[in-house]
């Protein structure tokens, strides 16, 4: 009997039904009986010296149970962080960013908490704040971080938290054409439609924290470290996030909630407003200086990049963003000579965190724009210049590292076709193309437990977070294929560290590959057990027993799994448990990133725009994506992720930017003046082409996906605008006003003379 | 004039709710915190994102901008009021089928806006769909599958 | 939100007496799309919120009067957009109302509330100005009529005195054929507040009325009675000069939505485009609906 193959089909998303009926429970929907409501108190400037906090009026409000400040915590105030332990549970001494809480109110009702928070009197003085790359590098600027936090670091008396130099080949090499510019990528915020929400309560083992975290096990160890408790006493319950994009990855207010719950001996919950969410998370902004040398055929001779990332007041995962993105910043190109000088800069701004693309959108903006300019100067088609520089599959383009693992040129060709690159262009229209390359997970681990129940149904236990990408569905499909069970007889259990086994994170587009492989291995383990147990029960040699998906052939008998289990266990019943682990290539201590990327996430984006030259208003008319995914286990889910990532990319390309005043306050705080793409901002044509060569390390040849769409989008838009109205933009976002300004200044300046290749003198 | 919390009678999804309601609590607050109908979501709380969209007498409104006390005697419909015992409304079916649902947080609001749109305009053009859903933000998807879902639902109900 | 007392009178007198008694500590709750946002942000903390939506003397209808229409206090943007008379006689106002927020906002926001909120960037105001809107005010001391040009006095400020409210807005049917168009500049194609907005109307006899918003403390109306901007061939330079005169009172500033120089430039671009559209529509009118 032939079974439908569960792989490569767009199965209905598990959880879709609950989401369309309103039954899905997000963190703020969880019912708590007796719970205290928490409201944070924060100050009106980024950097303020806290002189005194007077909570008497607040405490007098009926229903208010506690107003916690840094003074109430053990001294020195406990700090936490996923990589660098720098962030205090509550601001101590001075606030370091606009929105850093100085106190937390707990009350019996939301109203009481809100009123009390407004009544906490904080006597504080505004201090000069470091708010930009230039200010961070200026030796006369204030230090964001107390040098005593990193006493052995020679950079401790600067705002450079860390710096790196990556590279190979010559530091200078002769080139026929050198292009050198500065590029800027703005501060943007994730704006998941679900604001952050948390809860915590003491439990019989220690404490339970509810947080829509993408990485429950990171949260578990960070809280354990902050409390100085064993991991085993911390339980994280992680409801499916209402959008994560990296913003719900790394701990923010959970340590504070744990402290409150334990101190008060009661459950506490905190739901941030959207404004507070903007203050809590953002992408690293960057200034990138790029100097790219080409020969006259358009082949890259050298890339020298200085990548200055403004990471914010605390490190969060910022150091990793900078190192990972800078290491691979040269892009998917043969680069014989490369130097990347990277710096992670502290500032009195929201601690930046992971955000889809993890530093690569910033680097791509610069590198891809350089290629577009070179193409124009050399009279080459932008597709052709890329094609000439693409490595072949299997070719290393970063020495001693994971080589190109896809037929990347075919994605370029597919995008060219899909956008109809060679169609004639009406006036004021332009097209742009770009490539995006992101390294996936470099050293991580995923464990999965699969349970085969007595009746043949299956449970999969996984620490992955399903934040909209459809992880549950993919794992059900895999278990379905491996064990021959209908996906509706597969239960996917996620989001509880007391139940599911360890997983590093849901990030770096890694979960289909790592957790998917772990699920396959766990299923293989179950099949091994079935074989051994069946052979023993049937008193035959194992060599005569063959286990396939859903059935066991023993000698000349065909048995279903339940039949085997009945035979094996008898009336007392039982179950089989398989554990699978995927660690990939593993940790390499000598590698700058700790390991090689397991796979490369590669995307070609192509865009067509129409610009109104009098107003600068820009309409994106077509947007296509061609991604090298290996195998799309659920094509609809992959396409939907690509499309979503691309539209998110339109955001930072065309309209998103957090605007700060000189006191570090965010002026466009909230949905009214922070503009993200709406349904009226999308192109008429938006689609994703999936290149499937089954050449990935994941299940059935899969690679990861989900971030590709956002990586190179901005440069494609920039190139399209350039073709449409003849202006070159190097600062994002390309708002109507900025485009208008560029058009005006081009009109005012004399037209540039013919461009000559500039030989480099050395 | 009422200062304090008084019992108010609101009709939601054809049911009558009689519970104490404070004047300064929005319809969103009361739906979620008092009636425990958590399908309607809170996001921007200023009428810009549409996550809190419900119908009042069939018209889509942002429940974060409506005081609960204002809508006594009106017919309020939330996402929980769509579909029935074990079956989904055609709009809900369509959203599932086209892959319009990712994280899902924007979806209840989207569906309620789509509901109003299709009840007054059963055969909308792409532009009309974009206009009808212009007040609903989605951050996960590219909106194209949402547009497709509304078109699919329109076809299914004619 | 800070707690407040809620009153829902069923008579106009009830509303007026509360407004009189409490002055600025009482706020009228029309559509709520501005008031509730400001209360939530803590910008205002009224002691009393008065809900006028059950007062029969505050009409929720658009009524045909002898010379035009009267838009009642409770009329929403959606009602304006869907009304056949508004679409026929005041199409630019319908255009403007159609971009106020989203459908969710338009189902609640009232035209009266929009002018009372008096945002310099309110989209309906330029349209109301070119159509010569007159505001009917009522208070315990009696009723008065104030042209919209005088009603708005500054950002968030109107001539309404303590205890007064807007009962309705009068619009006169244009006395001769005219073409009108609304335009604006925004930061994205989706729902947005205007960086610059404007409305222009040209009559068959050549009078032009252009009103501009988001470029000064209040929207302003410029009238050109010279005929230079009518539908007639004239020297481009003279027309350009006439356009410049229209926008001369503008005082744009730089804020998060736009820079001053950009706004200034957009005034010029949008005036020209809006005028062109108005002329096209005038021609259609005077040709009995046939396109030219």
């Amino acid at each position: 009997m032939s079974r439908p193959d569960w792989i490569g089909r767009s199965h209905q998303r598990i959880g879709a039904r609950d989401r369309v009926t309103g039954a899905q429970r997000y963190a703020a929907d969880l019912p708590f009986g007796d719970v205290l409501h928490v409201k944070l108190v924060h100050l009106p400037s980024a950097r303020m010296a806290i002189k005194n906090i007077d909570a008497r009026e607040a405490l007098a409000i009926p229903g208010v149970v506690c107003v916690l400040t840094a003074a109430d915590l053990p001294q020195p105030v406990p700090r936490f962080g996923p990589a660098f332990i720098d962030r205090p549970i509550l601001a101590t001494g001075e606030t370091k960013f606009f929105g850093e809480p100085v106190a937390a109110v707990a009350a019996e009702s939301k109203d009481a908490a809100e009123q009390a928070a407004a009544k906490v009197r904080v006597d504080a003085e505004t201090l000069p704040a470091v708010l930009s790359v230039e200010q961070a590098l200026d030796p006369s600027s204030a230090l964001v971080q107390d040098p005593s936090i990193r006493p052995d670091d020679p950079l401790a008396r600067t705002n450079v938290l860390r710096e790196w130099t990556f590279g190979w080949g010559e530091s200078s090499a002769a080139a026929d054409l050198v292009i050198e510019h500065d590029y800027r990528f703005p501060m943007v915020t994730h704006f998941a439609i679900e604001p952050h929400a948390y809860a915590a309560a003491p439990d019989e083992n220690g404490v339970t924290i509810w947080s829509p975290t993408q990485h429950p096990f990171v949260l578990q160890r960070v809280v354990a470290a902050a409390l100085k408790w064993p991991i085993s006493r911390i339980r994280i319950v992680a409801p499916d996030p209402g959008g994560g994009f990296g913003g719900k990855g790394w701990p923010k207010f959970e340590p504070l909630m744990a402290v409150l719950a334990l101190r008060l001996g009661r459950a506490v919950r905190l739901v941030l407003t959207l404004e507070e969410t903007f203050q809590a998370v953002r992408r690293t902004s960057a200034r990138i200086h790029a100097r790219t040398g080409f020969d006259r055929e358009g082949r890259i001779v050298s890339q020298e990049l200085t990548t200055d990332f403004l990471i914010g007041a605390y490190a969060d995962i910022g150091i990793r963003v900078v190192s990972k993105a800078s290491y691979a910043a040269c892009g998917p190109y043969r680069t014989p000579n490369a130097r990347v000088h990277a710096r992670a800069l502290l500032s009195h701004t929201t601690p930046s965190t992971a955000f889809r693309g993890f530093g690569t959108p910033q680097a791509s903006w610069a590198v891809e724009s350089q290629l577009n300019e070179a193409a124009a100067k050399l009279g080459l088609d932008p597709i052709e210049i890329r094609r000439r520089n693409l490595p072949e599959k299997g070719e290393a383009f970063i020495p001693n590292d994971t080589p190109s693992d896809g037929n990347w040129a075919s994605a370029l060709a597919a995008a060219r076709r899909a956008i109809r690159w060679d169609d004639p262009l009406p006036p004021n229209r332009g097209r742009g193309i770009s490539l995006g390359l992101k390294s996936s997970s470099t050293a991580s681990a995923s464990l999965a437990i699969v349970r085969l129940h007595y009746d043949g149904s299956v449970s999969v236990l996984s620490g992955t977070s399903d934040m909209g990408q459809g992880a549950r569905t993919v794992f059900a499909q895999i278990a379905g294929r491996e064990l021959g069970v209908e996906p509706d007889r597969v239960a996917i259990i996620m989001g509880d560290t007391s139940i599911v086994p360890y997983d590093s994170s849901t990030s770096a587009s890694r979960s289909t590959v790592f957790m998917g492989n772990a699920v396959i291995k766990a299923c293989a383990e179950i099949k091994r057990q079935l074989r051994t147990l069946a052979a023993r029960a049937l008193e035959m040699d194992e060599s005569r027993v063959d286990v396939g998906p859903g059935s066991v052939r023993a000698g000349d008998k065909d048995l279903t799994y339940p039949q085997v289990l009945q035979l094996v266990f008898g009336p007392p019943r039982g179950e089989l448990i398989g554990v699978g682990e995927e660690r990939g290539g593993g940790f390499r201590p000598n590698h700058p990133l700790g390991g090689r990327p397991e796979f490369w996430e590669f995307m070609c984006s192509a865009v067509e725009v129409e610009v109104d030259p009098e107003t600068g208003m820009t309409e994106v008319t077509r947007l296509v994506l061609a991604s090298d995914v290996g195998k799309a286990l659920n094509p609809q889910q992959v396409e939907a992720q690509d499309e979503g990532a691309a539209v998110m990319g339109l955001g930072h390309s065309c309209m998103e930017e957090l605007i700060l005043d000189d006191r570090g306050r965010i002026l466009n705080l909230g949905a009214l003046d922070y503009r993200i793409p709406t349904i009226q901002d999308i192109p008429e044509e938006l689609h994703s082409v999936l290149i499937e060569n089954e050449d990935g390390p994941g299940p059935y040849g899969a690679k990861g996906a989900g971030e590709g769409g956002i990586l190179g989008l901005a440069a494609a838009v920039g190139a399209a605008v350039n073709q449409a109205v003849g202006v070159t933009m190097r600062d994002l976002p390309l708002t109507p006003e900025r485009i208008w300004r560029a058009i005006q200044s081009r009109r005012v300046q004399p037209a540039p003379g013919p461009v000559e290749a500039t030989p480099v003198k050395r | 004039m009422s200062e304090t919390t008084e019992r108010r009678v609101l009709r939601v999804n054809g049911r009558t709710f009689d519970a104490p309601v404070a004047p300064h609590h929005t319809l969103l607050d009361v739906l979620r915190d008092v009636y425990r109908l958590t399908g309607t979501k809170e996001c921007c709380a200023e009428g810009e994102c549409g996550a809190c969209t419900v119908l009042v007498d069939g018209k889509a409104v942002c429940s974060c901008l409506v005081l609960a006390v204002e809508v006594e005697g009106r017919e309020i419909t939330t996402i929980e009021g769509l579909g029935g015992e074990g079956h989904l409304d055609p709009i809900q079916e369509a959203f599932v089928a086209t892959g319009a649902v990712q994280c899902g947080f924007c979806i209840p609001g989207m569906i309620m806006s789509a509901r109003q749109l299709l009840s007054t305009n059963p055969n909308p053009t792409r532009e009309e769909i974009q206009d009808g859903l212009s007040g609903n933000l989605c951050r996960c998807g590219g909106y194209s599958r949402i547009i497709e879902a509304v078109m699919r639902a329109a076809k299914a109900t004619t | 939100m800070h707690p407040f007392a809620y009153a829902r009178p069923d008579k106009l007198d009830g509303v007026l007496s509360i407004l009189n008694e409490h002055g600025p500590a009482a706020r009228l709750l029309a559509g709520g799309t501005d008031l509730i946002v400001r209360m939530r942000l803590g910008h205002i903390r009224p002691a009393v919120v008065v809900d006028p939506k059950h007062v029969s003397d505050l009409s929720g209808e658009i009524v045909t009067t002898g010379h035009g229409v009267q838009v009642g206090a409770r009329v929403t943007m959606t009602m304006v957009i869907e009304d056949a008379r508004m679409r026929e006689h005041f199409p630019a106002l319908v255009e403007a109302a159609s971009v106020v927020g989203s459908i969710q906002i338009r189902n609640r926001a009232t035209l009266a509330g929009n002018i009372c909120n008096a945002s310099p960037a309110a989209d309906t105001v330029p349209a109301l100005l070119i159509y010569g809107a007159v505001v009917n005010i009522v208070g315990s001391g009696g009723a008065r009529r104030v042209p919209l040009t005088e009603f708005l006095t500054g950002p968030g400020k109107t001539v309404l005195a303590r205890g007064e409210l807007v009962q309705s807005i009068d619009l006169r049917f244009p006395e001769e054929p005219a073409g009108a168009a609304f335009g604006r500049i925004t930061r994205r194609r989706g729902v947005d507040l205007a960086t610059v907005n404007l409305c222009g109307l040209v009559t068959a006899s050549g009078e032009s009325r252009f009103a501009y918003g988001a470029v000064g403390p209040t929207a302003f109306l410029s009238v050109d009675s010279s005929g230079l901007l009518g539908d007639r061939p004239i020297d481009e330079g003279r027309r350009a000069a006439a356009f410049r005169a229209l926008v001369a009172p503008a005082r744009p500033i730089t804020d998060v939505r736009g820079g001053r120089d950009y706004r200034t430039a957009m005034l010029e671009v949008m005036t020209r485009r809006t005028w062109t559209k108005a002329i096209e529509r005038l021609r259609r009118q005077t040709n009995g609906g046939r396109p030219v």
Side-chain angles (χ1 to χ4, degrees), chain B residues 1-2 8 23-24 26 45-47 53 59-62 64-67 69-70 72 113 116 131-132 134-136, chain C residues 1-6 8 18 29-33 36-37 40 48 51 53 102-108 191:
Chain B
M1 179 147 2
S2 88
R8 301 274 178 177
H24 68 285
T26 62
E46 54 183 4
T53 306
K59 291 214 183 296
V61 301
C62 288
C64 71
L65 295 183
V66 176
L67 300 179
V69 294
E70 281 185 87
E72 278 188 292
S113 290
Q116 189 206 310
D131 186 65
S134 65
N136 291 82
Chain C
M1 238 191 294
H2 206 80
F4 48 78
Y6 170 78
R8 193 199 295 153
I18 295 172
L29 174 62
T33 54
I36 293 184
V37 176
R40 181 193 158 256
V48 184
D51 183 352
K53 294 194 280 295
S102 60
I103 186 96
Q104 292 98 314
I105 299 296
R106 297 193 288 272
N107 282 339
R108 296 278 298 169
V191 168

Side-chain angles (χ1 to χ4, degrees), chain B residues 68-84:
Chain B
V69 294
E70 281 185 87
V71 288
E72 278 188 292
R74 314 280 289 278
E75 289 293 333
I76 298 158
T77 314
T78 70
I79 188 73
E80 291 94 341
L82 262 53

Side-chain angles (χ1 to χ4, degrees), chain A residues 16-36:
Chain A
R17 208 185 160 88
D18 279 352
R19 284 159 171 80
V20 298
T21 58
Q24 181 67 26
R25 287 228 160 114
Y26 300 88
D29 303 328
L30 298 174
F32 285 91
D34 176 38
V35 68
L36 290 170

